[in-house]
Amino acid sequence: MRPLTERDIRGSFVNCSKGEARRLAIPRDLGERPWDDLDFLGWRDPGAPDRSYLVTEREDRLVGVALRFQPARRGLLQRSMCSLCLTSHPRGGVSLMTARKAGPAGREGNSVGLYMCADLACSLYLRGKKVPETGTRFEESLTLEEQIARTTGHLSAFLDKLSA
């Protein structure tokens, strides 16, 4: 992914108003992000524990999505798997992220959801740059490039549902 600026990010959101996009919390460490290892930029809002954001490049343009999720309940034996990167996490490491649909459907309250890594670090888990806390990545016969293609394909399918 190419490095993004605050302006790039704020102008990319498809499921919130321009005013909401202006007010959302942008990561302060954009200059330090491992852009070459990211398939999308994802972050949690430090001021709102139930909100997170995702920005990705799609068909030569940026698409940003505001997401909401329920804070994880602590369960010692519970394990969940991310639908994007297929990383297994214990104790709330995966959350159902819901996004309001774009346009009139979103204004009527319609949304779509996907189970994702709660920290939105799927790209780093795929590449082995980050290891889940006592979770695992299953050993796969797919190459890294094929795993990345699968992950971005799942993300694209989710984004398609936002505008449908």
Side-chain angles (χ1 to χ4, degrees):
M1 180 167 203
R2 68 179 171 90
L4 302 178
T5 66
E6 181 176 339
R7 184 176 182 180
D8 292 334
I9 294 168
R10 290 193 190 282
S12 71
F13 284 88
V14 297
N15 70 335
C16 62
S17 70
K18 289 183 183 192
E20 290 170 319
R22 274 194 307 269
R23 291 186 301 271
L24 62 84
I26 302 291
R28 298 194 187 282
D29 65 346
L30 291 177
E32 301 162 22
R33 295 284 172 136
W35 295 105
D36 290 339
D37 291 324
L38 297 181
D39 303 306
F40 61 87
L41 173 64
W43 73 100
R44 291 177 69 167
D45 188 330
D50 65 337
R51 293 184 188 177
S52 57
Y53 308 98
L54 182 147
V55 177
T56 190
E57 292 175 298
R58 193 160 190 233
E59 298 172 5
D60 295 329
R61 72 181 191 104
L62 292 175
V63 175
V65 179
L67 302 161
R68 288 188 175 258
F69 62 98
Q70 285 287 357
R73 294 185 201 138
R74 298 290 178 187
L76 290 177
L77 300 177
Q78 180 184 4
R79 299 185 71 75
S80 301
M81 183 180 288
C82 173
S83 297
L84 288 181
C85 66
L86 304 184
T87 299
S88 172
H89 293 274
R91 298 183 305 278
V94 171
S95 294
L96 175 61
M97 302 281 184
T98 58
R100 185 173 63 207
K101 290 184 102 175
R107 288 190 289 277
E108 292 175 8
N110 296 324
S111 62
V112 294
L114 186 68
Y115 285 94
M116 295 183 199
C117 294
D119 62 2
L120 297 169
C122 299
S123 301
L124 301 178
Y125 291 125
L126 278 178
R127 291 164 175 82
K129 306 277 181 172
K130 189 169 184 179
V131 178
E133 176 193 330
T134 67
T136 57
R137 288 256 324 129
F138 295 102
E139 191 171 321
E140 297 189 65
S141 59
L142 297 177
T143 65
L144 176 59
E145 290 75 24
E146 291 169 328
Q147 292 177 50
I148 292 168
R150 178 188 59 212
T151 297
T152 56
H154 289 175
L155 180 57
S156 287
F158 174 69
L159 295 174
D160 287 342
K161 291 176 187 175
L162 285 177
S163 58

